[in-house]
C-alpha cells in the first residue's frame, strides 16, 4: 500500500514538473532558443539594442553648435577716473550654412567690440556681425573656416506639443552640454510674432543662449533664447525652473535670410490690434493706434475686418502675420462690417518701427 502511494506521488510530481517545464518554455523564449537562461536572467545582462539613446541625433547636430565669446570695452566713469574696462559675454550659436553664417541671440553679441567663435573641431575663428533683429533677439554672424558643419534643417519641422527636444549649448563655459525636455507650446512662426516662442522644460542656463533646440533626429527646431523670469518683491528677478523658450526655426530662418539679403528685417504694419470672433469669420478690431495707417484710413474700434484683398480672415494672428510680411508702401483693400453695413477701405502698409 505504501509503495502504491509513493508511486502515485512520484507520478504526480513528474507530471507537475513536465507541466511547469512546458510553461517555462512557452513563457521564456530564450530557453527554447538556447539563449542562456542563467546568463540573461540571473546575471542581469541586457541587449544594448534595447537601450534608448539619442547619440546619433547629437552626433548630427552637435558639430554645428559653437561657443561664442564677445568682448566689449566699457568705461568706468568716476569723479577722479575714467578707466576702460573689458566685459566678456558668453553664449552659443548655430552654424546654419557651410559658408559660415551663424545664428545666435542678439543679447549675446550686442555692443561687442570683438567676437570669437570656438568650433567643436577646435577651430578658433573671428566673427563679424552681419545684422540683428531686436524683435526676436536674433543676430547673424559670419565666420570663415574649414569644413564647417551646417546643422540639419528641414523647411517645416512641424513641432507639436509633447515632442521630445534637446538643447545643445555651452552653459557656464563648461563646453558642449546637452539637456532634454518636452515641448509644451509650439509657438507661432510669422514675422508679427515677437514673444510667442517654443516653450520647453529642457534646461537652459547662462551660456545656452543662441544654441540649438533639436528634435530626436537632430534636426533644428529652434534657437534657444531664455528662461521664464518672475519679479520677486524681495529678491528681484528670478528664473522659473522648467519654463524655457526658443525662437521657432521657420521664424529664425526667415529672419536670417532677410538679414543676409538686405542687412535687416523689414516688417509691415497697419496700426491695429484684433481678435477672433466666436462662431463667425473675420477679425474684430480692439484698438487702433493714433496717426497710424489704419486710423488715417478710418478704421475704428469695433469694426470687423472680413477680408484683406479678397482673402477671407479666420485668425487674428495669421492676419497680423500677413500684414507684417507685406512690403511697406503696398496698398491693401479691407472689407469691413460696421454696425451691419459693409464697407471697403484702402490702407497703405508702413514699416514697423520706421
Amino acid at each position: 500500500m505504501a509503495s502504491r502511494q509513493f508511486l502515485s506521488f512520484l507520478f504526480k510530481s513528474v507530471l507537475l514538473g513536465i507541466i511547469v517545464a512546458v510553461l517555462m518554455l512557452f513563457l521564456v523564449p530564450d530557453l527554447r532558443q538556447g539563449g542562456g537562461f542563467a546568463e540573461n536572467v540571473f546575471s542581469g545582462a541586457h541587449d544594448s539594442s534595447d537601450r534608448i539613446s539619442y547619440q546619433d541625433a547629437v552626433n548630427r547636430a552637435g558639430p554645428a553648435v559653437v561657443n561664442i565669446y564677445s568682448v566689449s570695452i566699457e568705461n568706468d566713469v568716476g569723479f577722479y577716473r575714467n578707466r576702460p574696462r573689458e566685459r566678456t559675454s558668453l553664449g552659443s550659436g548655430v552654424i546654419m550654412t557651410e559658408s559660415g553664417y551663424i545664428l545666435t541671440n542678439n543679447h549675446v553679441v550686442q555692443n561687442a567690440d570683438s567676437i570669437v567663435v570656438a568650433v567643436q573641431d577646435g577651430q578658433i575663428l573671428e566673427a563679424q556681425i552681419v545684422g540683428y533683429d531686436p524683435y526676436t533677439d536674433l543676430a547673424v554672424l559670419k565666420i570663415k573656416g574649414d569644413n564647417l558643419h551646417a546643422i540639419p534643417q528641414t523647411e517645416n519641422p512641424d513641432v507639436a506639443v509633447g515632442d521630445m527636444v534637446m538643447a545643445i549649448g555651452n552653459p557656464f563655459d563648461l563646453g558642449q552640454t546637452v539637456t532634454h525636455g518636452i515641448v509644451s507650446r509650439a509657438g507661432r512662426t510669422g514675422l508679427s510674432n515677437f514673444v510667442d516662442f517654443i516653450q520647453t522644460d529642457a534646461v537652459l542656463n547662462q551660456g545656452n543662449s543662441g544654441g540649438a533646440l533639436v528634435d530626436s533626429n537632430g534636426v533644428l527646431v529652434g534657437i534657444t533664447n531664455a528662461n521664464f523670469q518672475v519679479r520677486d518683491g524681495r529678491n528681484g528677478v528670478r528664473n522659473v525652473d522648467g519654463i524655457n523658450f526658443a525662437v521657432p526655426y521657420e521664424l529664425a530662418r526667415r529672419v536670417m535670410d532677410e538679414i543676409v539679403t538686405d542687412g535687416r528685417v523689414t516688417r509691415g504694419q497697419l496700426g491695429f490690434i484684433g481678435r477672433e470672433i466666436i462662431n463667425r469669420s473675420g477679425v474684430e478690431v480692439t484698438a487702433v493706434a493714433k496717426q497710424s495707417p489704419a486710423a488715417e484710413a478710418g478704421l475704428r474700434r469695433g469694426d470687423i475686418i472680413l477680408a484683406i484683398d479678397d482673402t477671407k480672415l479666420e485668425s487674428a494672428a495669421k492676419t497680423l502675420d500677413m500684414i507684417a510680411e507685406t512690403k511697406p508702401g503696398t496698398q491693401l483693400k479691407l472689407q469691413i462690417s460696421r454696425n451691419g453695413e459693409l464697407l471697403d477701405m484702402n490702407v497703405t502698409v508702413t514699416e514697423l518701427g520706421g
Side-chain angles (χ1 to χ4, degrees):
M1 184 70 178
S3 62
R4 287 183 179 180
Q5 291 178 341
F6 175 75
L7 290 174
S8 176
F9 172 77
L10 181 62
F11 175 77
K12 291 179 180 179
S13 298
V14 171
L15 181 61
L16 180 62
I18 293 173
I19 293 173
V20 171
V22 171
L23 288 174
M24 290 290 290
L25 288 172
F26 178 76
L27 296 173
V28 185
D30 282 348
L31 295 178
R32 300 198 304 269
Q33 301 170 359
F37 181 76
E39 178 183 353
N40 290 332
V41 176
F42 292 110
S43 71
H46 297 283
D47 188 348
S48 62
S49 64
D50 295 335
R51 182 178 60 204
I52 297 176
S53 174
Y54 299 103
Q55 179 182 11
D56 289 342
V58 174
N59 287 342
R60 282 193 290 269
V65 181
V66 300
N67 303 339
I68 295 178
Y69 305 90
S70 63
V71 178
S72 60
I73 306 300
E74 299 177 346
N75 289 322
D76 285 334
V77 179
F79 188 76
Y80 294 106
R81 67 184 186 280
N82 186 1
R83 298 179 180 176
R85 178 170 59 90
E86 184 176 278
R87 182 176 67 86
T88 302
S89 296
L90 170 70
S92 304
V94 181
I95 300 175
M96 300 293 289
T97 68
E98 293 180 356
S99 61
Y101 285 109
I102 292 175
L103 265 176
T104 186
N105 287 157
N106 183 45
H107 72 259
V108 171
V109 296
Q110 192 172 23
N111 300 322
D113 291 292
S114 65
I115 303 170
V116 174
V117 169
V119 186
Q120 295 307 311
D121 63 6
Q123 297 182 76
I124 306 297
L125 306 169
E126 184 178 356
Q128 303 296 325
I129 298 179
V130 179
Y132 60 90
D133 178 40
Y135 291 105
T136 54
D137 190 31
L138 290 173
V140 179
L141 309 180
K142 184 69 166 64
I143 58 174
K144 293 182 180 179
D146 299 323
N147 301 316
L148 297 177
H149 179 93
I151 198 163
Q153 301 164 58
T154 184
E155 185 175 345
N156 180 18
D158 194 23
V159 179
V161 173
D163 285 354
M164 199 288 297
V165 289
M166 292 174 286
I168 307 177
N170 179 29
F172 302 115
D173 205 15
L174 293 174
Q176 191 166 100
T177 302
V178 182
T179 60
H180 79 282
I182 300 297
V183 172
S184 55
R185 188 174 66 198
R188 286 182 23 241
T189 60
L191 283 179
S192 72
N193 162 35
F194 310 140
V195 293
D196 192 10
F197 296 159
I198 295 173
Q199 181 181 323
T200 175
D201 62 347
V203 177
L204 300 180
N205 287 303
Q206 183 179 352
N208 268 111
S209 294
L213 190 71
V214 302
D215 65 13
S216 57
N217 293 317
V219 175
L220 184 66
V221 299
I223 302 296
T224 55
N225 183 276
N227 38 25
F228 186 67
Q229 297 180 328
V230 296
R231 184 169 297 280
D232 189 318
R234 292 176 298 177
N235 302 316
V237 176
R238 63 182 178 85
N239 295 334
V240 177
D241 294 335
I243 304 179
N244 304 296
F245 300 102
V247 182
Y249 165 77
E250 301 98 308
L251 176 59
R253 181 73 200 210
R254 190 180 308 176
V255 166
M256 186 191 83
D257 289 343
E258 285 206 29
I259 289 175
V260 170
T261 302
D262 302 325
R264 64 191 185 99
V265 180
T266 301
R267 293 178 173 85
Q269 66 154 346
L270 294 181
F272 75 89
I273 301 174
R275 65 184 178 191
E276 287 88 8
I277 308 169
I278 299 176
N279 298 325
R280 182 177 176 182
S281 61
V283 174
E284 181 183 358
V285 177
T286 57
V288 179
K290 294 181 179 180
Q291 298 180 341
S292 66
E296 292 177 358
L299 193 67
R300 302 176 187 173
R301 183 173 181 268
D303 286 349
I304 297 174
I305 306 176
L306 302 175
I308 296 180
D309 281 353
D310 299 323
T311 299
K312 293 184 178 180
L313 306 184
E314 302 292 339
S315 163
K318 291 181 179 179
T319 298
L320 294 177
D321 287 342
M322 179 178 67
I323 295 169
E325 293 160 16
T326 300
K327 184 178 179 180
T330 303
Q331 188 177 80
L332 300 177
K333 183 180 73 173
L334 309 185
Q335 295 174 337
I336 308 295
S337 174
R338 177 182 296 168
N339 300 322
E341 182 182 358
L342 295 180
L343 304 171
D344 286 338
M345 187 178 296
N346 293 321
V347 57
T348 302
V349 178
T350 59
E351 183 177 349
L352 179 66

